[in-house]
């Protein structure tokens, strides 16, 4: 590794505490959330919510020129108790979790033909995961999916994205009172794919929502994982893992809206970057509104830059409008795999590629264990090894 | 029998856009079973010698040869040198976040030995080595050098020395920053490795203190990038009394 050009990285952060909020986290954007694409101006790249995104690589998803000409193969494998329906946009469950927050996902909402609704009946505890496989077969597509988990039901949903596509989509998770939902969304796209999506969870009373976002592939991936609480006692754990290679743009923009008392949230995203113009963006917005007494929240983002030429933008924002909370914090750090670390490991006989693997596996290992899904753990670690080998080779 | 031969070694380093020669022709032969102390004032180039032998990329070898049993050490990569039997205990070991001590030790033992140690004997081996160095078992679960105190870092270096069993051990200021108790524990570790007679030791130090615990066969005074005087253990006594002053002046005049 050459040591001359340091990897570009910015890590800004803000904690705002107090009553007057001129620009709440969700209002820094250029338009209010809306179901209608016409409510959003066409972005020019200078807007707060678009300033990191390469608009020219979105293939027209942002300016209305991308017509839905492509196809997606969607397959759902679910245990018997689960119902899978295809509905149109008048179904009351469509759009229930929240409105689209930027022009592309509003475009998706305005353009999708049919939505699929996957329902887990109340009190049903699934022993097998629901698998939704989304395979892109080229062209432009707009999608909408709703996963609804009834009161006191428990489910794991794995959303697997593969193939090539230009996709804008909304995925909604309606987590009933006392229910537990874990969603794993894997972006394992071909290197040519463009994927912009909003994943919004509406967490019910005393319900638990766990999200695991794993992004490896794609030319541009821009995701909005969002959580809103419908009632008190809700819990949300948002885990993320990304491996950004040469030329890839992977952007995760999280928002947790603590508008309800006694809810908890925990965010941990980790990413590794390698190669020229690998660009990872992580935005973590947490808003604790005046009514949200007893809130407990923490968010963390860690990045590991393995080579020169990669760039990380990591921006945590925490806004607190009430002092009556249990805890609130954030941490963001971007580190580099240093030449001195490589030297130390090699001086103990460890080959350079093994040294890199040791460090990267170590970096992700703790997070992967925290996710608590043994099947996924193995798959992720294997995938991380593959990514590393691709870089070394 | 392992022999490290250093002949007329010249090394430069880039600093402030200038190339500076640090080692100006070092000659030294270290045989298996021998302990050589290299003593010298700050800035004399002692640590540069240590890092150059291990192959640190910051240093450029501009002349001379280094061989281990006739093999050209300078042609080897850093990891190849370690596998050939060269070990450097560092003065400032670096932190490796996310990598546990136990994982690190096993990975490195596997690399150096050429095969993964059998799990059962390995666990016992590590446990015993750690007990000898008065290290708590929980140490193995911590990340490499992360949050270690100065003494813990040095013990961890000597732990690796004991487990990797090199033929040439270079100890770069292992005594610096240690209190008397820690110095004794670390020295005992070095002596255990020396007692089996299979290692040639290059003990680099600023102070004579460590030589009360680790008796050298040879003492070399290092100044201005070369060895300026060599002798037996009695030379250390002379340095203890007189310091480096005469050598520094001599070096500056040369």
């Amino acid at each position: 590794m050459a040591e001359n050009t340091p990897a570009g990285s910015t890590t800004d952060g803000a904690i705002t505490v107090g009553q007057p909020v001129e620009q709440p986290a969700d209002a820094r954007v250029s338009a209010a959330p809306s179901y209608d694409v016409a409510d959003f101006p066409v972005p020019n790249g200078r807007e707060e919510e678009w300033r990191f995104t390469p608009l020219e690589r979105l293939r027209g998803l942002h300016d209305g020129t991308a017509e839905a000409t492509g196809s997606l193969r969607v397959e759902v494998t679910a245990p018997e108790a689960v119902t899978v329906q295809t509905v149109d946009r008048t179904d009351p469950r469509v759009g229930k979790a929240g409105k689209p927050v930027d022009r592309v996902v509003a475009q998706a909402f305005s353009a999708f033909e049919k939505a699929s609704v996957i329902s887990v009946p109340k009190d049903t505890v699934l022993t097998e995961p629901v698998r939704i496989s989304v395979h892109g077969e080229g062209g432009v597509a707009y999608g909408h999916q709703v996963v609804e988990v009834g009161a006191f039901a428990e489910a794991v949903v794995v959303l697997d994205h593969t193939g090539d596509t230009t996709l804008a989509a909304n995925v909604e998770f309606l987590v009933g009172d006392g229910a537990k939902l874990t969603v794993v969304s894997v972006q394992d796209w071909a290197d040519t794919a463009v994927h912009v999506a909003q994943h919004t969870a509406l967490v019910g009373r005393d319900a638990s929502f766990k999200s695991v976002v794993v992004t490896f592939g794609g030319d541009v991936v821009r995701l909005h994982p969002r959580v809103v609480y419908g009632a008190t006692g809700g819990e949300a754990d948002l885990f993320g893992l990304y491996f950004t290679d040469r030329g890839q743009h992977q952007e995760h923009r999280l928002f947790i809206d603590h508008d309800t008392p006694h809810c908890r949230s925990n965010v941990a995203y980790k990413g590794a970057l390698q190669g020229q113009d690998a660009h990872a963006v992580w935005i973590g917005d947490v808003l604790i509104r005046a009514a949200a007494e007893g809130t407990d929240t923490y968010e963390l983002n860690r990045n590991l830059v393995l080579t020169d030429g990669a760039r990380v933008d990591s921006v945590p924002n925490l806004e607190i409008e009430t002092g009556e909370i249990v805890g609130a914090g954030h941490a963001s750090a971007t580190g580099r795999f240093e030449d001195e670390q490589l030297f130390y490991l090699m001086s103990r006989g460890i080959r350079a590629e093994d040294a890199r693997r040791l460090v990267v596996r170590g970096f992700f290992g703790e997070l992967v264990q925290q996710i608590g899904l043994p099947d996924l753990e193995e798959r992720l670690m294997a995938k991380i090894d593959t990514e590393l080998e691709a870089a070394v080779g | 029998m392992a022999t490290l031969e250093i002949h007329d070694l010249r090394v430069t380093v880039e600093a402030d856009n200038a190339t500076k020669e640090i080692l100006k022709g070092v000659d030294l032969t270290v045989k298996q079973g021998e302990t050589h102390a290299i003593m010298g004032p700050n800035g004399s180039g002692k640590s540069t010698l240590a890092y150059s032998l291990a192959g640190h990329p910051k240093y450029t070898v501009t002349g001379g040869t280094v061989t281990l049993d006739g093999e050209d050490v300078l042609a080897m990569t850093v990891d190849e040198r370690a596998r050939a039997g060269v070990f450097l205990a560092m003065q400032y070991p670096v932190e490796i976040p996310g990598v546990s001590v136990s994982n690190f030790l096993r990975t490195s033992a596997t690399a150096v030995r050429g095969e993964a140690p059998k799990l059962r004997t390995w666990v016992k081996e590590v446990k015993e080595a750690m007990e000898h160095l008065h290290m708590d078992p929980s140490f193995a679960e911590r990340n490499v050098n992360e949050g270690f105190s100065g003494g813990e870092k040095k013990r961890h270096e000597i732990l690796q020395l004991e487990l990797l069993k090199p033929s040439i051990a270079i100890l770069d200021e292992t005594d610096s920053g240690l209190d008397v108790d820690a110095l004794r524990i670390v020295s005992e570790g070095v002596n255990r490795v020396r007692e089996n007679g299979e290692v040639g030791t290059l003990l680099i130090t600023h102070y004579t203190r460590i030589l009360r615990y680790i008796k050298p066969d040879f003492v070399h005074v290092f100044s201005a990038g070369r060895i300026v005087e060599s002798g037996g253990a009695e030379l250390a006594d002379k340095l203890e009394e007189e310091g480096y002053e005469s050598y520094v002046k001599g070096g500056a005049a040369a």
Side-chain angles (χ1 to χ4, degrees):
Chain A
M1 283 182 295
E3 58 183 18
N4 38 17
T5 325
S9 103
T10 60
T11 302
D12 309 328
I15 298 182
T16 314
V17 180
Q19 288 299 321
V21 177
E22 291 166 23
Q23 285 189 306
D26 214 22
R28 263 194 309 273
V29 296
S30 50
S34 167
Y35 295 114
D36 186 356
V37 64
D39 289 342
F40 296 87
V42 173
N44 56 34
R46 289 189 297 276
E47 302 83 356
E48 176 59 31
E49 76 271 31
W50 289 107
R51 66 187 176 106
F52 297 117
T53 312
L55 294 174
E56 70 285 358
R57 283 155 65 187
L58 290 179
R59 303 200 187 127
L61 287 175
H62 65 297
D63 61 10
T65 59
E67 283 186 48
T69 53
S71 71
L72 283 176
R73 199 172 68 229
V74 181
E75 286 168 14
V76 180
T77 317
E80 213 169 321
V82 177
T83 59
V84 182
Q85 296 167 277
T86 301
V87 302
D88 56 38
R89 62 179 60 248
T90 57
D91 189 288
R93 294 167 293 189
V94 172
K96 189 177 173 188
K99 294 173 181 171
V101 296
D102 73 28
R103 185 175 160 103
V104 174
V105 285
Q107 176 73 66
F109 198 93
S110 297
F112 79 86
E113 295 275 335
K114 294 279 182 187
S116 54
V117 178
I118 293 156
S119 304
V120 181
K122 66 177 179 135
D123 297 320
T124 306
V125 176
L126 299 183
T127 52
E128 286 289 308
V130 176
R131 297 186 187 278
I132 307 171
S133 145
V134 177
H135 186 78
E137 296 179 323
V140 175
Y142 296 104
H144 198 104
Q145 288 158 323
V146 180
V147 174
E148 178 192 34
V149 181
F152 300 103
E154 294 181 18
V156 174
V157 175
V158 180
L159 189 56
D160 235 324
H161 299 98
T162 56
D164 177 34
T165 188
T166 301
L167 171 66
N170 288 279
V171 186
E172 301 181 65
F173 306 108
L174 306 173
V175 191
D177 292 350
K180 287 189 166 66
L181 172 63
T182 296
V183 177
V184 181
S185 179
V186 182
Q187 288 65 245
D188 199 4
W189 298 112
D191 285 343
T192 45
V194 174
H195 180 203
V196 180
Q198 178 171 329
H199 291 185
T200 311
L202 175 60
V203 180
R205 185 184 180 90
D206 300 325
S208 297
F209 174 68
K210 185 194 281 190
S211 153
V212 183
V213 168
V214 180
T215 303
F216 288 118
D219 176 47
V220 177
V221 173
R222 177 179 147 112
L223 298 180
H224 292 274
R226 296 171 71 86
V227 172
V228 289
Y229 297 90
T232 58
E235 297 191 326
D237 287 288
L238 277 64
F239 299 113
L241 192 158
Y242 45 92
F243 203 121
T244 315
D245 284 324
R246 185 163 58 110
Q248 285 184 318
H249 178 92
Q250 296 177 341
E251 180 168 351
H252 299 91
R253 309 181 67 90
L254 289 84
F255 179 63
I256 297 177
D257 190 351
H258 279 285
D259 58 350
T260 308
H262 304 291
C263 291
R264 186 185 68 77
S265 64
N266 175 45
V267 173
Y269 268 60
K270 283 189 167 189
L273 295 92
Q274 64 186 1
Q276 191 62 39
D277 298 323
H279 189 190
V281 178
W282 182 85
I283 311 292
D285 288 336
V286 174
L287 173 59
I288 304 173
R289 296 185 196 260
E293 291 176 7
T295 292
D296 190 2
T297 178
Y298 192 77
E299 55 171 350
L300 171 145
N301 176 231
R302 292 263 183 278
N303 295 285
L304 177 63
V305 177
L306 295 169
T307 66
D308 291 331
R311 179 183 170 86
V312 176
D313 290 285
S314 174
V315 188
N317 288 298
L318 177 57
E319 291 178 19
I320 307 171
E321 296 175 18
T322 171
E324 303 297 312
I325 58 170
V326 176
H330 70 191
S332 162
T334 297
R336 215 183 122 77
F337 181 47
E338 301 283 350
D339 293 344
E340 292 299 328
Q341 295 173 324
L342 181 64
F343 173 73
Y344 187 77
L345 294 170
M346 287 178 76
S347 78
R348 271 49 177 157
I350 301 170
R351 290 175 176 80
E353 62 269 28
D354 294 334
R356 195 171 277 111
R357 184 177 303 122
L358 196 64
V359 167
V360 172
R361 288 187 75 117
F363 175 73
F364 283 123
E366 195 189 346
L367 176 66
V368 170
Q369 279 171 17
Q370 233 180 1
I371 291 170
L373 299 171
D375 290 358
L376 185 70
E377 272 182 35
E378 282 174 34
R379 180 176 163 192
L380 289 181
M381 291 317 268
K383 185 72 192 172
I384 289 163
D385 282 350
T386 313
E387 292 276 329
L388 276 166
E389 274 156 30
V392 172
Chain B
M1 184 157 125
T3 304
L4 180 77
E5 289 191 79
I6 304 167
H7 178 64
D8 194 28
L9 184 64
R10 291 169 185 275
V11 170
T12 61
V13 66
E14 298 294 321
D16 303 327
N17 294 322
T19 304
K20 195 176 175 212
E21 187 171 52
I22 309 283
L23 298 188
K24 300 170 178 173
V26 177
D27 288 288
L28 182 66
T29 300
V30 181
K31 294 190 175 124
Q32 200 169 7
E34 294 177 351
T35 299
H36 294 249
I38 295 201
M39 307 196 58
N42 289 330
S44 60
K46 309 186 297 285
S47 285
T48 299
L49 176 63
Y51 279 86
S52 301
L53 293 175
H56 195 287
K58 184 176 151 192
Y59 302 100
T60 309
V61 175
T62 54
T65 57
V66 178
T67 58
L68 179 61
D69 296 332
E71 298 286 323
D72 183 1
V73 171
L74 299 177
M76 300 178 192
T77 57
V78 176
D79 53 318
E80 283 168 351
R81 294 177 197 207
R83 293 198 297 275
V86 178
F87 178 84
L88 169 63
M90 298 190 199
Q91 185 180 3
Y92 302 111
V94 298
E95 295 183 3
I96 317 279
V99 178
S100 70
V101 166
S102 73
N103 188 9
F104 165 67
L105 292 176
R106 192 168 164 79
T107 305
S108 113
T110 301
V112 167
R113 297 177 190 185
E115 59 177 358
K118 290 207 169 50
L119 200 55
R120 197 192 299 171
T121 52
W122 171 250
V123 169
K124 192 163 166 266
E125 197 182 339
V126 174
K127 188 165 166 274
E128 284 177 3
M130 285 177 65
E131 277 170 9
H132 285 148
L133 290 164
H134 302 248
M135 295 166 87
D136 190 86
S138 66
F139 203 87
E141 302 316 314
R142 294 169 66 184
N143 288 333
V144 174
N145 293 319
E146 204 176 59
F148 286 18
S149 68
E152 285 173 333
K153 283 183 182 170
K154 296 299 168 69
R155 281 184 224 193
H156 181 233
E157 294 294 288
I158 301 308
L159 175 65
Q160 296 168 56
L161 172 69
E162 294 206 47
L163 293 170
L164 299 180
K165 301 182 175 56
S167 48
I168 297 294
I170 304 159
L171 310 179
D172 185 21
E173 310 225 7
T174 295
D175 52 333
S176 68
L178 295 184
D179 62 30
V180 172
D181 285 343
L183 180 62
R184 186 176 49 74
I185 291 165
V186 161
S187 300
E188 283 168 5
V190 175
N191 286 334
R192 273 192 300 279
V193 176
R194 290 198 313 149
E195 274 159 21
N196 66 24
E198 287 167 9
V199 67
T201 308
L202 200 53
L203 184 69
I204 292 172
T205 181
H206 183 77
Y207 305 103
T208 52
R209 190 176 63 143
I210 193 172
L211 304 183
R212 286 178 220 148
Y213 301 93
I214 303 173
K215 296 291 177 201
D217 303 303
F218 305 95
V219 174
H220 308 277
V221 182
F222 213 77
S223 179
R226 59 165 71 92
I227 290 171
V228 291
E229 188 173 351
S230 295
E234 75 287 348
L235 183 52
D237 299 333
K238 184 183 160 206
L239 290 170
E240 171 83 36
E241 282 169 27
E242 299 175 10
Y244 295 116
E245 212 165 308
S246 58
Y247 299 104
V248 174
K249 280 178 186 160

